[in-house]
Amino acid sequence: MRPSRVPAIVTWAVLVFFYLPIVVLVAQSFNSSRFGGHWESTSLKWYIALMQRDDIWSALVNTLVIAASATLGAMILGTSAAFALHRYAGSRLQKVHYSVIYMPLVLPEILMGLSMLLFFVALKIQLGMFTIGLAHVTFCLSYVAMTVLARLQDFDYTIIEAAQDLGAGWWTTLWRVLIPMLAPGILAGGLLAFTLSIDDFVISFFVAGPGSTTLPIRIYSMIKYGAPPLINALSTILLVVTFACVTISQLLSRNKHAPGT
Amino acid sequence: MSGRAKPRAWTEWLVTMPSFVWLGLLFIIPTVLVFAITFRPSDPYGGIGAGWTLETLKTLGNPNYPAIVWRTIWMSALTTGLCILLATPMSYYLSRVSPRLRQWLLLLVILPFWTSFLVRVFAWKVLLHPDGFLKHALVWLHLISPDTSLLYNAGAVLLVMIYTELPFAILPIYAAAEKFDYRLIEAAKDLGAGSFRAFVSVFLPGIRVGLLTAFLMVFIPSLGSYVIPDIVGGPTSEMIGNKIAQRTFVDRNLPHAAGLSAFLSVAVLVPMVAVSALRRKNTRAPNEEGV
């Protein structure tokens, strides 16, 4: 019997659906007309106007500072969590631990955003970069833990015993054996955390205070209150950067695995 | 026994505590706080007043709310259903093509997931804009009249929700489809089943774990949608998330926002508990067959 064509058609149609708005957005950013009903002329005027917006640059700096610190915090907490979950799997503590780590992955962001806002308001903590950072560590932690946990599945604990038999203390074992072996997982989790932190809007918006505008918060207010052509240009830059990063990291990890597969 | 377990327990606590305490402080306590603050009065400065009150619970009886709650549920259900409907044949195709093509297709599926969420929502606003490309094309093709609005309605919200949630349905279903033994389909066909019959009664049960995960991954975040209805929706397509944000940022009535969030938290727990019960039944089933 001839295999059905439906799966192939659906797949290619979905990919067109995925990329159509992105392609139109990128094309629009080079159109000098405000809205793209017609093509006025190809120009870089929106890019030039974008370069002169200081608020966007300071928002970008805020975003990067928060993302870098949240990633570092989430990598430390997430790795130790993953280690605990894997090493002591099955204990009652780890069952509770696992659900506490898993919940933030599925709960709607708006619930986490509002609950942390209430927490900070109740404790009278000044909202700002610090509270955004705390919130980002909280949701990034789970992503790092899950990524490292996946890598731990084929981890061989006899190596740790071997190191200790050869006289390594726990500090040496941690830094010379465990962390180097888990490095690919920790870095993959860190990369995910960094991307999610840079991209986060909902949670940041809830716990932001004066002077802590991040890039997504800035983009949101530009979308809501005017300046669309500028966002076309800004979006195109962001798209090019992320597409390049993801493609390069995919190609790198593929080459590394190539001899094995 | 207990003597041997002691040092082990000590190191277990040591590696568990950092994340456990962090999430306890910044995730569990705030979530409990949402329920507690529902019973607090608001103060005129947008903070939380002293004392306890049932005032917020009474204002939650707002006549507009039932409509918004229903809209939130059916929009999320429709998004989930359509995402799974598209993701299932797609996962079947992805797990059947050559590894080389598969790698590229998977990259194309994952790329939107890594790109800015706001940018993707905004891209649809540009595409559906009254003066945008799609509108002009559809009017030119005489498919819509010039005064049809593509933006600011429930249809636009649904479309963009599917757009942003679809990768979360494709990835778990694909992960299950990849492990599926396709010889079972051949066996079904040898026994006289048609392609469609084999797909429905052999393939779908085979990937049910992936389908359940996809359901959770799409349905629960959809219930909390806020940005999409805010950007491409209008007053007739508001969801609970919009109300929570409005109470927080516009009226600055935190207890009211907390009340709505408490309701949403409970609403989110129902499908979560249902799916984990189903999963437990699934994992127990083989044992029962064995007995």
Side-chain angles (χ1 to χ4, degrees), chain A residues 55-67 128-133 136 196-222 234, chain B residues 118:
Chain A
D55 56 338
I56 290 175
W57 293 105
S58 69
L60 179 66
V61 171
N62 284 350
T63 306
L64 292 175
V65 169
I66 292 168
M129 298 273 283
F130 177 65
T131 49
I132 300 181
H136 282 207
L196 290 167
S197 170
I198 283 184
D199 190 31
D200 179 72
F201 165 70
V202 177
I203 295 176
S204 310
F205 194 49
F206 273 86
V207 297
S212 63
T213 302
T214 63
L215 195 55
I217 296 177
R218 172 60 57 216
I219 293 177
Y220 174 78
S221 66
M222 285 165 80
L234 181 58
Chain B
L118 280 176

Side-chain angles (χ1 to χ4, degrees), chain B residues 10 46 66 87 120 152 174 182 205 235 240 272 281:
Chain B
W10 183 81
R120 280 177 288 141
Y152 312 125
Y174 165 72
Y182 283 92
I240 299 177
M272 273 171 114
K281 211 173 123 200

Side-chain angles (χ1 to χ4, degrees), chain B residues 28-61:
Chain B
I28 307 283
I29 293 180
T31 305
V32 175
L33 210 58
V34 167
F35 286 87
I37 286 177
T38 305
F39 300 99
R40 290 284 200 161
S42 61
D43 77 8
Y45 312 104
I48 300 150
W52 301 92
T53 171
L54 289 173
E55 210 44 52
T56 308
L57 275 196
K58 280 181 208 150
T59 49
L60 286 181

Side-chain angles (χ1 to χ4, degrees), chain A residues 1-4 6-12 14-15 17-22 24-25 28 35-38 77-78 80-81 83-85 87-89 91-94 96-97 99-112 114-122 127 133-135 137-139 141-143 188 191-192 195-196 199 201-202 205-206 215-217 219-220 223-224 227-229 231-232 234-236 238-239 242-244 246-247 250-251 254, chain B residues 8 11-20 22-31 33-34 37 46-48 85-87 89-94 101 103-105 107-120 122-127 129 131-134 136 159 162-163 166-167 170 189 193-195 199 213 216-217 220-221 223-227 230-231 240-242 244-245 248-249 252 254-255 257-258 260-262 264-265 268-269 272 279:
Chain A
M1 197 184 291
R2 198 174 49 82
S4 164
V6 176
I9 295 169
V10 171
T11 305
W12 292 102
V14 164
L15 289 175
F17 173 60
F18 272 174
Y19 289 93
L20 178 71
I22 294 177
V24 170
L25 179 74
Q28 264 319 306
F35 270 109
H38 56 285
L77 292 169
S80 117
F83 184 78
L85 284 173
R87 188 80 177 93
Y88 306 102
S91 82
R92 199 177 301 161
L93 177 64
Q94 295 312 321
V96 179
H97 191 202
S99 24
V100 172
I101 301 239
Y102 182 76
M103 289 286 276
L105 296 175
V106 279
L107 275 192
E109 283 187 295
I110 195 163
L111 288 179
M112 283 186 78
L114 182 77
S115 63
M116 279 192 265
L117 170 68
L118 294 177
F119 179 71
F120 296 137
V121 169
L127 298 175
L134 289 181
V137 172
T138 310
F139 75 83
L141 191 172
S142 301
Y143 286 94
L191 185 68
L192 183 59
T195 319
L196 290 167
D199 190 31
F201 165 70
V202 177
F205 194 49
F206 273 86
L215 195 55
I217 296 177
I219 293 177
Y220 174 78
I223 293 175
K224 286 291 277 188
I231 322 169
N232 290 343
L234 181 58
S235 304
T236 303
L238 290 176
L239 284 167
T242 42
F243 276 36
V246 174
T247 312
Q250 289 278 321
L251 289 175
R254 197 172 302 168
Chain B
R8 199 188 157 177
T11 42
E12 181 180 357
W13 278 92
L14 187 76
V15 285
T16 308
M17 275 311 114
S19 51
F20 206 76
W22 186 283
L23 288 172
L25 270 177
L26 282 142
F27 175 62
I28 307 283
I29 293 180
T31 305
L33 210 58
V34 167
I37 286 177
I48 300 150
L85 196 69
L86 290 171
M90 206 173 160
S91 309
Y92 178 87
Y93 181 72
L94 285 172
L101 178 59
Q103 275 185 329
W104 284 107
L105 291 177
L107 180 63
L108 286 175
V109 170
I110 294 167
L111 262 178
F113 167 81
W114 287 89
T115 51
S116 164
F117 172 73
L118 280 176
V119 165
R120 280 177 288 141
F122 176 69
W124 276 101
K125 191 174 176 174
V126 172
L127 191 60
H129 193 271
D131 204 17
F133 160 79
L134 197 64
H136 282 259
L159 186 74
I162 293 172
Y163 182 76
L166 196 49
I170 295 172
K189 286 185 182 170
S195 292
F199 184 83
T213 310
L216 273 192
M217 298 274 285
I220 290 177
L223 286 175
S225 295
Y226 143 60
V227 174
D230 190 55
I231 292 178
I240 299 177
N242 297 76
I244 296 177
T248 309
F249 301 115
R252 199 65 188 181
L254 291 180
L260 288 170
S261 293
L264 182 59
S265 311
V268 155
L269 274 178
M272 273 171 114
R279 272 194 189 139

